[in-house]
Amino acid sequence: MDRDYLHRIRHAALRERVVSADQAAGLIRDGMVLGMSGFTRAGEAKAVPMALAQRAKHDPLKVTLMTGASLGNDLDKTLAEAGVLSRRIPFMSDPGLRAAINAGKVMYIDQHLSETVEQLRTRQLPAVDLAIIEAVAITETGGIVPTTSVGNSASFAILAEKVIVEINLNQSEHLQGLHDIYIPTYWPTRIPIPVVTPESRVGFPFIPIPPEKIAAIVISEKLDSSSTVTLPDAETRMIAGHLTEFLKNEVSRGRLPATLHPLQAGIGSIANAVMHGFIDSPFHDLTMYSEVLQDSTFDLMDAGKMVFASGSSITLSAPKYADVMGRFQDFKSKLVLRPQEISNHPEVVRRLGLIAINTALEFDIYGNVNSTHVMGTQMMNGIGGSGDFARNAYLSVFVTKSLAKGGRVSSVVPMVSHVDHTEHDVDILVTEQGLADLRGLAPRERARVIIANCVAPEWRDAIADYHDRAVLRGGHTPHLLEEALSWHDRLRRTGSMRAE
Amino acid sequence: MDRDYLHRIRHAALRERVVSADQAAGLIRDGMVLGMSGFTRAGEAKAVPMALAQRAKHDPLKVTLMTGASLGNDLDKTLAEAGVLSRRIPFMSDPGLRAAINAGKVMYIDQHLSETVEQLRTRQLPAVDLAIIEAVAITETGGIVPTTSVGNSASFAILAEKVIVEINLNQSEHLQGLHDIYIPTYWPTRIPIPVVTPESRVGFPFIPIPPEKIAAIVISEKLDSSSTVTLPDAETRMIAGHLTEFLKNEVSRGRLPATLHPLQAGIGSIANAVMHGFIDSPFHDLTMYSEVLQDSTFDLMDAGKMVFASGSSITLSAPKYADVMGRFQDFKSKLVLRPQEISNHPEVVRRLGLIAINTALEFDIYGNVNSTHVMGTQMMNGIGGSGDFARNAYLSVFVTKSLAKGGRVSSVVPMVSHVDHTEHDVDILVTEQGLADLRGLAPRERARVIIANCVAPEWRDAIADYHDRAVLRGGHTPHLLEEALSWHDRLRRTGSMRAE
């Protein structure tokens, strides 16, 4: 293996720091705060956390784990089952860890993804003791070249006392040159972030740290997990169709150019399907300024519809991964990966005027959106970047299927059981039934538009009846408080929102 | 009166446009969208809207009224009673208008104050037909010099087809030079907003428009209404004390300098009292980057504690107004008034790292804040700028007294009845009972801190009991859905949250 990796550690003195994953995991002590690479199942450190979980079997310890976002390779599951996690920040999507969080065994801090390093830098979160970063290579000056995600890796490495680098030999060397690492200047001499288009390159192609901070280097070979995104289905195609029609109308009214504005799409099957729908749209020369680049990004590029995409990670299905990595040089000039602080930064999101498309778990008749909590109590995955984008975008769109659980659950409810995006921040709601344009409407007007356009037919009478009776009681935002959450409570008790 | 005003219209040809308020109001037609100056009872156009309300008595008409924020001189009341308002955007605080809104008679769009002109500029709101702007003077080139507020006046005047200017002879000519009018560049060539400190001056001291757009000039003399802020009382002093102690601790831990970060304070008695509390603090060389500058700003300057304040309006009590305007030249170098788009801009708020202090109507055990809706249904005033600041501030603080309605209402509840600021956006909660620091805590941890520190003693057992029973049912954010809003429902039915 020696010859395979030596050229990836271009700072020659650092080659002496190569150790086994077990040895590197030995640097981790009970109570430490770990800052680990990994964003939407892409580019996470793999060997050291697995070694840590193994070690915990005979040497129990607890750590706070911060990452960019969710991890692949069942790492969150493995670490949760090993009892290693006392605290997890800021996003996860693993069922095993989710169960531990909902049982109150792991303290989970569900943060806007742009904010974690801001709070670290200002010491509002506990300091990172050790950063563990997957890399393609280490440069001549000791700079770390990330792999398929940047996430929070740059700030973790800069702020941590020590850094462990995992050189992954199966991550393509062609990834070098893809990244743009920019760290905002520090208060009180903060200046504007110079990103003015999705294409702007404003930083370094590596994470610049003093090489002496690199305490250990581990050689790994495990691939990223594949995306779990499912193919578009009839309903997601209808959602995409409604949104495309709406955007065509905006173009014809002169509110948007035919190139639209830069697009952001949340992770998951529905957002991916919506993006996929743009392949058959009349829009052209599209750009993305998003957090995760999924299969649809590359399909849009291959279809000649998309000219540039900025993200913080690349998360693909297995066949798409093989395809994209096989001809990565063709894509590289059309891509940039940034720290999630920059990909999701309120300043840049507002400046670029994004069209932000994110998935709702449920929304209510007044336009409040729940992205995180099933029945108001059970954490699903976390808010992720949806708040960073929705709050500051030019157009804030939320999509969901109108029904869940085989029709026992309506995704449109009288009152959401948890609010992640308030009525003040939501412009457009889309289900397979249709689209509600809430811009410039008062709550009572929104309710009529949402009920008419977004609710599944079998739920429409019940929700209209709720609203009618609430209006009789009055108020700017009419509600029947004794009944507002009764659909969720019935679901909890009976497994269905339907009245018995 | 001729000699009094001619020197205030320095563009000589425009002097011919001077007409009576009735004549100017004659330019308003049924169905128009009006963009009017006025922000937190400061600097609103006065003569023309009063003439409009008079005219409506014999010539009924309906308009959409957009302003900066709330209006003084009972204008919202008068216009609502005259039946002139079909739609009102984005903030109000008048009881008469409030009643019409809650009855569903006036459609009220409750927006973040930084967003209205952004939506206007991109034609996502109906275009402004006519702008009505109070001014100190008109410059040689036809530029409009605003009075005690900027609000949305600059964009209204720039975007409207025609402009009516009210020259108010009782607004001090010393206000000239106070304003800094900067309009962001337009998409797709948007560049960073160059404000990097509260003191930054980046625009014009007047609103630059082609003079031919000024269709009429009206001479007025009515003063701004006085602020309705009440003096600090024992409880608001305790709130200020808790926050000062917390900030002193942050300084001693090295997280904040003794000059703190730029301060933002919401309008109203509690926030004003909290700011007043800094007079007796050890902090020094304070700055503000806020929307409304109240009595406390000038008291802090007189006490030598504050060196600069940026806002969008100046709203003072009657004695403070006389005092400040009497020696305005002493203050002018320490003040700037900006468009509310800039005073509240997410980009600048995050860059400057504000300490944002806003008032909650109520908050819940997990840190969600309700700023707008009594019992989840009745609009109070609107969200104002609190979301602009809370979402992007360095430190997002919400303050309230723990009790309302003579103790029949607890301001800390199991679940808020309306969410304006989500758990993701709230850092610090303060009542006269104490302070809860939520940073880095999971929901169950937040609940313990909030219950221990913020709840009035007579409500503590009931709220702790709710949380204990909810935890038995489990979840990341434990709730009893069938009971979560029962306190509000009981208040609605019986006038008290207390169990019968």
Side-chain angles (χ1 to χ4, degrees):
Chain A
M1 200 154 89
D2 272 343
R3 287 229 301 289
D4 278 322
Y5 72 77
L6 286 182
H7 71 286
R8 292 200 183 210
I9 307 175
R10 301 205 289 272
H11 186 291
L14 285 176
R15 290 175 189 154
E16 295 169 15
R17 307 268 166 90
V18 175
V19 297
S20 72
D22 289 342
Q23 286 173 300
L27 294 173
I28 301 168
R29 291 192 304 275
D30 187 48
M32 269 191 169
V33 177
L34 306 183
M36 204 165 87
S37 67
F39 191 97
T40 60
R41 304 164 68 85
E44 76 277 355
K46 299 168 178 81
V48 176
M50 287 304 286
L52 176 66
Q54 283 299 319
R55 171 188 153 193
K57 287 181 184 168
H58 56 84
D59 177 17
L61 79 174
K62 294 266 187 201
V63 299
T64 290
L65 177 61
M66 301 186 189
T67 59
S70 53
L71 304 176
N73 284 301
D74 287 337
L75 277 178
D76 265 325
K77 175 180 188 290
T78 307
L79 290 167
E81 287 176 359
V84 170
L85 302 179
S86 62
R87 193 168 290 268
R88 183 74 177 84
I89 304 172
F91 189 80
M92 60 87 224
S93 64
D94 177 81
L97 175 54
R98 186 184 297 149
I101 287 167
N102 284 319
K105 291 177 186 161
V106 175
M107 294 294 103
Y108 173 50
I109 321 303
D110 178 20
Q111 286 193 316
H112 300 297
L113 295 189
S114 78
E115 291 192 348
T116 307
V117 299
E118 177 87 347
Q119 290 204 329
L120 271 177
R121 189 181 294 136
T122 53
R123 298 197 280 156
Q124 297 188 82
L125 284 175
V128 174
D129 297 299
L130 193 59
I132 312 172
I133 312 293
E134 185 179 81
V136 169
I138 295 175
T139 69
E140 291 77 359
T141 59
I144 301 169
V145 182
T147 61
T148 44
S149 71
V150 179
N152 285 323
S153 298
S155 285
F156 287 160
I158 289 167
L159 295 170
E161 293 213 7
K162 290 183 179 178
V163 181
I164 299 172
V165 178
E166 283 195 13
I167 303 275
N168 188 324
L169 301 182
N170 280 319
Q171 293 277 24
S172 167
E173 292 186 69
H174 292 309
L175 292 168
Q176 294 180 79
L178 175 65
H179 315 90
D180 185 54
I181 309 297
Y182 176 84
I183 306 291
T185 52
Y186 280 32
W187 196 91
T189 52
R190 281 184 137 181
I191 56 168
I193 293 167
V195 174
V196 294
T197 75
E199 296 90 337
S200 295
R201 280 193 169 268
V202 299
F204 301 95
F206 53 81
I207 300 167
I209 58 165
E212 55 272 23
K213 275 180 63 169
I214 299 181
I217 299 173
V218 174
I219 307 302
S220 78
E221 298 190 305
K222 200 159 200 165
L223 280 175
D224 285 350
S225 298
S226 300
S227 139
T228 53
V229 162
T230 55
L231 289 173
D233 61 22
E235 286 164 338
T236 57
R237 274 197 210 96
M238 290 167 81
I239 292 171
H242 297 311
L243 186 59
T244 302
E245 278 309 302
F246 164 79
L247 292 171
K248 278 163 66 178
N249 193 34
E250 292 292 294
V251 172
S252 69
R253 288 178 175 211
R255 286 186 192 146
L256 282 174
T259 53
L260 302 181
H261 278 206
L263 299 162
Q264 176 265 332
I267 191 148
S269 302
I270 299 182
N272 187 59
V274 168
M275 290 298 290
H276 219 267
F278 288 134
I279 289 177
D280 302 317
S281 77
F283 315 126
H284 57 83
D285 296 305
L286 296 171
T287 58
M288 283 188 88
Y289 194 85
S290 196
E291 49 186 19
V292 54
L293 307 181
Q294 305 181 73
D295 286 16
S296 50
T297 300
F298 298 90
D299 293 335
L300 283 161
M301 285 184 173
D302 279 338
K305 284 285 181 188
M306 181 165 284
V307 293
F308 197 88
S310 166
S312 191
S313 75
I314 298 175
T315 303
L316 302 172
S317 68
K320 188 55 68 182
Y321 184 90
D323 173 26
V324 166
M325 290 301 161
R327 51 195 179 102
F328 198 71
Q329 291 295 70
D330 297 346
F331 289 112
K332 208 154 90 178
S333 64
K334 300 175 186 171
L335 296 173
V336 63
L337 293 189
R338 308 177 189 279
Q340 69 196 68
E341 179 179 19
I342 305 300
S343 65
N344 291 28
H345 202 290
E347 172 175 339
V348 182
V349 171
R350 179 128 167 186
R351 182 180 303 143
L352 298 188
L354 299 196
I355 298 175
I357 305 164
N358 290 286
T359 305
L361 260 184
E362 62 178 5
F363 55 81
D364 70 27
I365 55 174
Y366 298 115
N368 299 285
V369 170
N370 174 8
S371 301
T372 56
H373 282 71
V374 176
M375 293 181 288
T377 56
Q378 304 292 310
M379 171 55 56
M380 192 68 195
N381 297 336
I383 191 169
S386 58
D388 289 323
F389 292 108
R391 175 69 183 78
N392 294 296
Y394 163 81
L395 206 58
S396 175
V397 181
F398 283 90
V399 296
T400 188
K401 296 184 183 184
S402 70
L403 296 173
K405 306 275 172 204
R408 298 195 304 280
V409 167
S410 171
S411 306
V412 191
V413 291
M415 178 187 267
V416 288
S417 56
H418 184 89
V419 178
D420 293 294
H421 311 287
T422 77
E423 47 144 349
H424 311 283
D425 291 329
V426 177
D427 297 316
I428 307 289
L429 293 170
V430 199
T431 69
E432 80 289 350
Q433 297 294 321
L435 180 146
D437 180 355
L438 309 183
R439 294 174 297 174
L441 299 185
R444 291 171 183 226
E445 297 172 308
R446 287 182 223 146
R448 286 195 289 274
V449 173
I450 291 169
I451 294 169
N453 292 288
C454 297
V455 181
E458 57 266 46
W459 289 94
R460 204 170 289 151
D461 287 350
I463 206 158
D465 175 62
Y466 174 87
H467 185 243
D468 291 346
R469 288 182 291 120
V471 165
L472 291 178
R473 203 179 274 174
H476 178 60
T477 304
H479 266 302
L480 307 169
L481 292 178
E482 71 279 22
E483 199 178 316
L485 297 175
S486 64
W487 295 24
H488 298 89
D489 191 48
R490 202 177 297 129
L491 173 63
R492 180 185 67 80
R493 286 184 288 105
T494 71
S496 169
M497 283 184 175
R498 281 213 180 281
E500 291 92 323
Chain B
M1 200 153 89
D2 272 341
R3 287 230 299 291
D4 279 325
Y5 72 77
L6 286 181
H7 71 285
R8 291 202 185 210
I9 307 176
R10 300 205 290 272
H11 186 290
L14 285 176
R15 290 174 189 154
E16 294 169 13
R17 306 270 165 89
V18 175
V19 297
S20 72
D22 289 342
Q23 285 173 300
L27 294 173
I28 300 169
R29 291 192 304 276
D30 188 47
M32 270 191 169
V33 177
L34 307 183
M36 204 165 88
S37 67
F39 191 98
T40 57
R41 305 162 68 86
E44 76 277 355
K46 298 169 180 80
V48 176
M50 287 305 285
L52 177 66
Q54 282 300 318
R55 172 188 154 193
K57 287 182 184 169
H58 56 85
D59 177 16
L61 78 175
K62 293 265 187 201
V63 299
T64 291
L65 177 61
M66 301 186 190
T67 58
S70 54
L71 304 177
N73 285 301
D74 286 336
L75 277 177
D76 265 323
K77 174 180 189 292
T78 307
L79 290 167
E81 286 177 358
V84 169
L85 302 179
S86 62
R87 195 168 288 271
R88 183 76 177 84
I89 304 172
F91 189 80
M92 59 85 225
S93 65
D94 177 81
L97 175 54
R98 186 184 296 150
I101 287 168
N102 284 319
K105 292 178 185 161
V106 175
M107 294 294 102
Y108 173 49
I109 321 302
D110 178 21
Q111 287 193 314
H112 299 298
L113 296 189
S114 79
E115 291 192 348
T116 307
V117 300
E118 176 88 347
Q119 290 204 330
L120 272 177
R121 188 182 294 136
T122 54
R123 298 196 282 155
Q124 298 188 83
L125 284 175
V128 174
D129 297 298
L130 194 59
I132 312 171
I133 311 293
E134 185 178 82
V136 169
I138 295 174
T139 69
E140 291 76 359
T141 60
I144 301 169
V145 182
T147 61
T148 43
S149 71
V150 179
N152 285 323
S153 298
S155 285
F156 287 161
I158 289 167
L159 295 170
E161 292 212 9
K162 291 182 178 177
V163 181
I164 299 172
V165 178
E166 283 194 13
I167 302 276
N168 188 324
L169 301 182
N170 279 320
Q171 292 278 24
S172 166
E173 292 186 70
H174 292 310
L175 292 168
Q176 293 180 81
L178 175 65
H179 314 90
D180 185 54
I181 309 297
Y182 176 84
I183 306 292
T185 52
Y186 280 31
W187 195 91
T189 53
R190 282 184 137 180
I191 57 168
I193 294 168
V195 174
V196 294
T197 74
E199 296 90 337
S200 295
R201 280 193 169 267
V202 299
F204 301 95
F206 53 81
I207 300 168
I209 58 164
E212 55 272 22
K213 275 180 61 168
I214 298 180
I217 299 172
V218 174
I219 307 302
S220 77
E221 298 189 306
K222 201 158 199 165
L223 281 176
D224 285 348
S225 297
S226 300
S227 141
T228 53
V229 162
T230 55
L231 289 173
D233 61 22
E235 285 165 340
T236 58
R237 273 195 210 99
M238 288 168 82
I239 292 172
H242 296 312
L243 186 59
T244 302
E245 277 309 302
F246 164 79
L247 292 171
K248 277 163 67 176
N249 192 34
E250 292 292 293
V251 172
S252 70
R253 285 176 178 216
R255 286 188 191 144
L256 283 173
T259 54
L260 302 180
H261 277 207
L263 300 162
Q264 177 265 333
I267 190 148
S269 302
I270 300 183
N272 187 61
V274 168
M275 289 299 289
H276 219 266
F278 288 134
I279 290 177
D280 302 317
S281 76
F283 315 125
H284 58 82
D285 296 306
L286 297 171
T287 59
M288 282 188 91
Y289 194 85
S290 194
E291 49 187 18
V292 54
L293 307 181
Q294 304 182 71
D295 286 16
S296 51
T297 300
F298 297 91
D299 293 335
L300 283 161
M301 285 184 174
D302 278 339
K305 282 285 182 188
M306 180 164 288
V307 294
F308 197 88
S310 166
S312 191
S313 75
I314 298 175
T315 303
L316 301 172
S317 68
K320 187 56 66 181
Y321 185 90
D323 173 26
V324 166
M325 291 302 161
R327 52 195 178 104
F328 198 72
Q329 291 295 69
D330 297 345
F331 289 112
K332 209 154 88 177
S333 64
K334 299 175 187 169
L335 296 173
V336 62
L337 293 190
R338 308 178 190 278
Q340 69 197 67
E341 181 179 17
I342 305 300
S343 65
N344 292 29
H345 202 291
E347 171 175 338
V348 182
V349 171
R350 179 128 166 186
R351 182 180 303 143
L352 299 188
L354 300 195
I355 298 174
I357 304 164
N358 290 286
T359 306
L361 260 184
E362 61 178 5
F363 57 81
D364 70 26
I365 54 174
Y366 298 115
N368 299 284
V369 170
N370 174 9
S371 301
T372 57
H373 283 70
V374 176
M375 293 181 287
T377 56
Q378 305 291 311
M379 171 55 56
M380 191 69 193
N381 297 335
I383 191 168
S386 59
D388 289 323
F389 292 107
R391 176 69 182 80
N392 295 296
Y394 164 80
L395 207 59
S396 175
V397 181
F398 283 90
V399 295
T400 188
K401 296 184 182 184
S402 71
L403 296 173
K405 304 279 173 200
R408 299 194 304 280
V409 168
S410 171
S411 306
V412 191
V413 292
M415 177 187 267
V416 287
S417 57
H418 185 89
V419 178
D420 294 292
H421 311 286
T422 76
E423 48 144 348
H424 311 283
D425 291 330
V426 177
D427 297 316
I428 307 289
L429 293 169
V430 199
T431 70
E432 82 288 350
Q433 297 294 321
L435 180 146
D437 180 356
L438 310 182
R439 294 175 298 175
L441 299 186
R444 292 171 183 223
E445 296 172 310
R446 287 182 222 145
R448 287 196 289 273
V449 173
I450 291 170
I451 294 169
N453 291 288
C454 297
V455 181
E458 58 266 47
W459 289 94
R460 204 170 289 150
D461 286 350
I463 206 158
D465 175 62
Y466 174 87
H467 185 243
D468 290 346
R469 287 181 294 118
V471 165
L472 292 178
R473 203 179 275 174
H476 178 59
T477 304
H479 267 303
L480 307 168
L481 292 178
E482 71 279 19
E483 199 178 316
L485 297 175
S486 63
W487 294 25
H488 299 89
D489 190 49
R490 201 177 297 129
L491 173 62
R492 179 185 69 79
R493 288 184 286 106
T494 70
S496 169
M497 283 185 175
R498 281 215 181 281
E500 290 94 322

